[in-house]
Amino acid sequence: MNPAPTPETAKGICKAVVPAAGLGTRFLPATKATPKEMLPVVDKPAIQYVVEEAVAAGLHDVLMVTGRNKRPLEDHFDRAYELEEALSAKGDTERLRRVRESSELATIHYVRQGDPRGLGHAVLCAQPHVGDEPFAVLLGDDLIDPRDPLLTRMLEVREELGGSVVALIEVDPSQIHLYGCAAVKPTEHADVVRITDLVEKPDAGAAPSTFAVIGRYILDPAVFGVLESTPPGRGGEIQLTDALRELAMRDGDAGGPVHGVLFSGRRYDTGDRGDYLRAIVRLACEREDLGPEFRTWLKTYVNEELR
């Protein structure tokens, strides 16, 4: 595993925004009273993986955009004195360390979105905190393996090329309607493309490419001005994709251009029930403390019970 980059990796960018106001309807009834971001991936909630990724890239100032019934997020990243005292009294230093870990990761702030009006509106809610600085946006549905430092690479591209940067993966044409889709042209870097157009969840046969936007962004602060005048788009929501499309049309000024980093590393999609289960299995198999025994059981289960 690569060592965590120092804060200087961020090249002047120090703030990350994590939209976490969604209702999690795909995971009902589990999310009726529990935020989807708090669903465990092995033994940590998904949201902690996201914050750890931001910190590893040097972003120690994290703003979570929340909504109603999201108080457990704040509790998770706060101190739990009674629990800590109980573990300390038992001499359980390892569990005590793990409990304290989440409260010591970063400086975390919170703002409520209020009405669920889309990702673009959630990002706009961050404007008072971010101000006129470039910033990162990390969506909790996409977990990126720490051995594949995607966010660090995106920060490097922003430092060199300016504007905004999004993460792209290549998907099967039958799946592109599930994503924002980018029209691209090559640059001098093999893993970087210039984005010339963006379409949110295009209809079958209308997609400009098979390059899909996933939940990592480095945004120029000019995006706020665009979002303020962006009308509701697909689904009746204010789409971040629509605002980025306008920035992509700008030739290097007023917040443009928009580049994409092509990512082919390890990504765990926890926004879908099936992919969520697969993410747990993959991560559990790779854990030093759980992996050997779990892999043995899994092989036996597959070979003997699923034949």
Side-chain angles (χ1 to χ4, degrees), residues 201-285:
K201 296 181 179 178
D203 295 330
S209 75
T210 54
F211 289 111
V213 179
I214 60 172
R216 296 295 180 273
Y217 309 81
I218 307 297
L219 299 180
D220 187 273
V223 73
F224 292 128
V226 178
L227 285 169
E228 287 174 341
S229 59
T230 298
R234 194 173 183 93
E237 298 180 334
I238 298 174
Q239 299 290 348
L240 180 59
T241 303
D242 294 339
L244 286 169
R245 181 177 187 271
E246 179 170 331
L247 291 179
M249 303 295 182
R250 299 179 179 182
D251 189 17
D253 57 10
V258 178
H259 287 90
V261 170
L262 305 179
F263 181 65
S264 59
R266 287 156 285 204
R267 167 182 173 254
Y268 311 107
D269 183 357
T270 61
D272 172 82
R273 288 175 298 176
D275 285 338
Y276 170 76
L277 293 174
R278 285 185 281 272
I280 292 174
V281 171
R282 290 187 185 119
L283 289 170
C285 283

Side-chain angles (χ1 to χ4, degrees), residues 84-159:
E84 290 178 21
E85 289 176 2
L87 292 172
S88 180
K90 292 179 180 180
D92 196 339
T93 56
E94 175 56 23
R95 285 192 174 89
L96 179 60
R97 181 193 65 80
R98 292 168 65 186
V99 165
R100 286 178 172 169
E101 188 177 39
S102 61
S103 62
E104 298 171 349
L105 275 174
T107 301
I108 302 180
H109 312 267
Y110 303 88
V111 63
R112 284 200 173 190
Q113 184 178 6
D115 296 331
R117 297 170 56 194
L119 176 57
H121 181 258
V123 171
L124 191 55
C125 290
Q127 184 175 16
H129 182 77
V130 171
D132 60 356
E133 304 173 30
F135 61 103
V137 174
L138 298 86
L139 305 190
D141 288 349
D142 283 313
L143 304 187
I144 305 298
D145 194 293
R147 292 167 294 184
D148 300 310
L150 169 62
L151 195 60
T152 298
R153 176 58 178 149
M154 294 173 68
L155 290 165
E156 292 170 352
V157 172
R158 155 71 196 195
E159 174 70 11

Side-chain angles (χ1 to χ4, degrees), residues 168 184-187 189-195 211 258-262:
L168 299 175
V184 304
K185 61 182 182 181
T187 70
H189 301 288
D191 65 334
V192 180
V193 293
R194 171 75 179 268
I195 293 178
F211 289 111
V258 178
H259 287 90
V261 170
L262 305 179

Side-chain angles (χ1 to χ4, degrees), residues 3-10 13-18 47-64 77 101-108 136 138 146 151-152 155 216:
T6 62
E8 285 75 20
T9 303
I13 299 176
C14 63
K15 294 179 179 177
V17 175
V18 180
I47 193 71
Q48 184 169 334
Y49 289 89
V50 176
V51 175
E52 288 173 349
E53 180 187 351
V55 170
L59 310 180
H60 294 266
D61 185 320
V62 177
L63 175 70
M64 291 193 186
F77 290 101
E101 188 177 39
S102 61
S103 62
E104 298 171 349
L105 275 174
T107 301
I108 302 180
L138 298 86
L151 195 60
T152 298
L155 290 165
R216 296 295 180 273

Side-chain angles (χ1 to χ4, degrees), residues 19-25 35-37 65-68 70 113 116:
L23 298 176
T25 54
K36 67 173 183 176
E37 297 84 5
V65 183
T66 67
R68 294 185 61 201
K70 299 287 183 168
Q113 184 178 6

